[in-house]
Amino acid sequence: MAVGPADDGTPMIDTVAPPEPEPEGAEAPTASRLQVFGHTLSRVMASAWLWVWLWLTLIAFGWALSPAWNAWVVSSGSMAPALEVGDVVLTVAPEHPLGEDTVITYEHDGRIITHRIEETILDEAGRPIYVTQGDANRVADTWEVQPHDVLGVGRVAVPHAGLPGWWVSNGPVWLAVLFVLGTAAAAWWSTHPPDLPGARDPYAVGRHRAPRRVEIWMPTLWPRAHVLALLVAAVLVTAAGWAATDAFFSGQTANAANTFTAVDDFGPTGGYPGAVLASQPVAYWRLGEGGGTASDAMGLVDGSYDGCAASSTGLVDDPDAAAEFANCGIDLGNANPITKTQLDQRTVELWFRPASTSGRQVLYDEGGNARQIAVYLDGSTLHAYAHDNTWDTDLDVTVTIAAGTTYHVVAVLDATGNDLALHVNGSLVAMASKSDGADMGVRAGGMSIGRASGQMRYHDGQDRSTNAFTGTIDEVAVYDRALTIGEIQDHWAAGN
């Protein structure tokens, strides 16, 4: 309302007309019961999501703020089903000697491992030495653990709490992005959902509170009620989880993967081949034929044997045979679907047992003199080698091996990330780096197993030499991505 003088000097009053009354019989907008139920349920689910992750994070990492506790994120499935990738194990300081069935976190060969003590041995001085084994592994670890290597004794396992961080550091990153976006959406929806027409907002107070148009379900004590319900649920979940955790840390957890009673367990979807296929290789040669065609389990590139024979047994825990090489090889052709594409990542995985360490012997060859990915022996030195004539440097990583010994070898190339890593028997043993951030171009040369394809390049620049391998090769797989450490360790455990 405005008040002021008119032209004749008399006061003038302007008024704002009141709103027109609603026509008689008109109904105010209302929300259906189904709309309100869906609206309320979505808010409950969004709030539950936030509370679950808050609760897991507080348990997993809140305790670790204390100097008496440490938190470790599980990176492989060797302790499945009790511990899966992304779970968090909370440990306390050890008090030696430790008994059998104790779950310990320890350092071995630069890796942090959480396994169960299978046996405690006392040396001549009365000091304990521990033999460990993963619940999912069929055999004990081949190394011994000294007391000074033990970082902690497991006390609490928190499921999934470390998954977001694991996705960020090990991939797939899109899952981490999806998790962040989903959590942000849940936070927004649980606190700022859109209004429903005709439904009273239980958070509204005072004279601005919307009138209740219909008698439908909408808790009037929503804030306190749902907080109390979520708190009770969290306590119940924690109590159940604590019972499971207590059972896990007091004795070995049953795992069906430990029992192999029929050949079917080693079929195309189980055992070692099942672990490989789960990682989705682009090509996978099991090498059990011994002659004729070397079949690619992925159906992409079949090879042809040239004088090789079948071994009576394979190199992995599996009924399938392996290929015996003696001045022979497997030709995988030139310019096949594997070599004719540019790549930023490549993983080559195989098992082998050399009959000797004399001379240069090729295990896997992909490419030619201009661009090359290879795994080969130079005497007793195992090389994983990658070369592109546009790079600022070649990538060459090595480790010493012995004749007559079986090895699981995984070479992981991340060209854009400038790294080539060599993993042997589940452990990262060497890594090399370049600095240009360039991918690898099309490999125009051939591809072969057990000898060079003809134009292969080596770390010293030599090429055009066959350099055939003598010994056994088994289970060769090629991936168009970088396998994670967890996958590599899982494959090693499945085949060992």
Side-chain angles (χ1 to χ4, degrees):
M1 180 176 66
V3 179
D7 292 340
D8 58 1
T10 60
M12 180 183 68
I13 299 177
D14 290 338
T15 59
V16 177
E20 291 290 335
E22 295 182 3
E24 187 174 350
E27 294 184 1
T30 61
S32 69
R33 295 176 184 270
L34 184 60
Q35 284 178 305
V36 174
F37 177 77
H39 189 269
T40 304
L41 181 62
S42 65
R43 294 181 73 175
V44 170
M45 294 177 65
S47 299
W49 173 267
L50 295 175
W51 272 75
V52 165
W53 279 103
L54 175 62
W55 195 260
L56 290 177
T57 302
L58 286 176
I59 295 176
F61 302 108
W63 283 10
L65 296 176
S66 166
W69 292 83
N70 284 306
W72 310 92
V73 178
V74 177
S75 61
S76 78
S78 63
M79 288 295 285
L83 290 179
E84 301 288 355
V85 173
D87 293 352
V88 173
V89 175
L90 295 172
T91 64
V92 296
E95 295 182 3
H96 301 287
L98 300 170
E100 295 179 4
D101 282 334
T102 302
V103 175
I104 60 174
T105 297
Y106 61 93
E107 184 175 3
H108 171 72
D109 246 3
R111 292 190 298 139
I112 305 299
I113 300 173
T114 298
H115 276 179
R116 191 184 304 277
I117 294 178
E118 179 70 15
E119 183 180 5
T120 299
I121 304 171
L122 299 180
D123 64 12
E124 295 179 355
R127 293 168 299 194
I129 299 173
Y130 304 117
V131 178
T132 58
Q133 180 175 342
D135 285 1
N137 296 345
R138 295 184 297 277
V139 295
D141 300 325
T142 57
W143 54 84
E144 296 176 340
V145 180
Q146 302 293 333
H148 60 78
D149 294 324
V150 179
L151 303 174
V153 175
R155 286 291 180 264
V156 178
V158 186
H160 314 310
L163 273 178
W166 171 259
W167 290 330
V168 170
S169 58
N170 297 276
V173 177
W174 66 266
L175 278 178
V177 174
L178 185 62
F179 172 81
V180 172
L181 293 178
T183 303
W188 176 84
W189 183 257
S190 62
T191 56
H192 297 86
D195 293 333
L196 283 178
R200 179 167 57 117
D201 183 359
Y203 288 109
V205 296
R207 65 188 183 89
H208 298 292
R209 186 173 183 134
R212 189 177 181 87
R213 306 290 189 186
V214 291
E215 291 298 326
I216 52 181
W217 179 70
M218 177 74 80
T220 56
L221 296 178
W222 172 270
R224 283 170 288 178
H226 94 280
V227 168
L228 179 61
L230 290 172
L231 182 59
V232 170
V235 171
L236 291 177
V237 170
T238 302
W242 191 283
T245 294
D246 182 63
F248 164 61
F249 285 116
S250 61
Q252 183 169 355
T253 304
N255 186 343
N258 285 323
T259 304
F260 293 84
T261 57
V263 173
D264 289 344
D265 288 329
F266 299 100
T269 59
Y272 180 80
V276 172
L277 293 173
S279 295
Q280 299 181 327
V282 294
Y284 178 26
W285 302 277
R286 303 209 60 205
L287 303 187
E289 305 88 355
T293 299
S295 298
D296 175 9
M298 309 310 293
L300 186 64
V301 177
D302 288 341
S304 58
Y305 288 89
D306 181 12
C308 301
S311 172
S312 57
T313 57
L315 297 183
V316 301
D317 193 355
D318 183 279
D320 191 63
E324 289 289 350
F325 292 78
N327 197 28
C328 67
I330 298 174
D331 182 13
L332 299 173
N334 292 338
N336 61 42
I338 297 176
T339 62
K340 69 181 183 181
T341 58
Q342 180 171 318
L343 62 87
D344 58 353
Q345 292 184 332
R346 164 73 82 230
T347 299
V348 177
E349 178 179 30
L350 58 88
W351 295 70
F352 80 101
R353 183 169 59 218
S356 73
T357 54
S358 175
R360 187 166 286 179
Q361 306 179 61
V362 175
L363 296 166
Y364 175 84
D365 163 25
E366 175 185 327
N369 190 52
R371 298 176 185 89
Q372 177 72 43
I373 301 172
V375 180
Y376 59 90
L377 299 177
D378 191 6
S380 60
T381 301
L382 173 67
H383 287 258
Y385 175 72
H387 160 80
D388 189 302
N389 56 13
T390 66
W391 289 354
D392 57 3
T393 185
D394 292 351
L395 296 177
D396 181 35
V397 287
T398 64
V399 69
T400 301
I401 57 94
T405 302
T406 298
Y407 296 95
H408 174 234
V409 176
V410 184
V412 181
L413 170 66
D414 183 354
T416 302
N418 294 316
D419 294 323
L420 176 64
L422 177 60
H423 302 255
V424 176
N425 294 349
S427 298
L428 174 63
V429 297
M431 180 176 288
S433 299
K434 58 188 181 69
S435 59
D436 55 19
D439 295 345
M440 176 173 282
V442 174
R443 276 89 54 224
M447 187 171 171
S448 60
I449 298 171
R451 67 184 181 192
S453 61
Q455 294 186 5
M456 178 175 164
R457 181 184 174 93
Y458 301 87
H459 66 280
D460 58 1
Q462 176 190 343
D463 63 358
R464 300 182 185 277
S465 297
T466 302
N467 292 324
F469 172 76
T470 301
T472 308
I473 301 178
D474 200 7
E475 307 289 338
V476 180
V478 177
Y479 307 80
D480 59 359
R481 63 181 182 88
L483 288 187
T484 66
I485 294 177
E487 287 176 306
I488 293 170
Q489 291 175 345
D490 286 346
H491 292 189
W492 158 245
N496 183 26

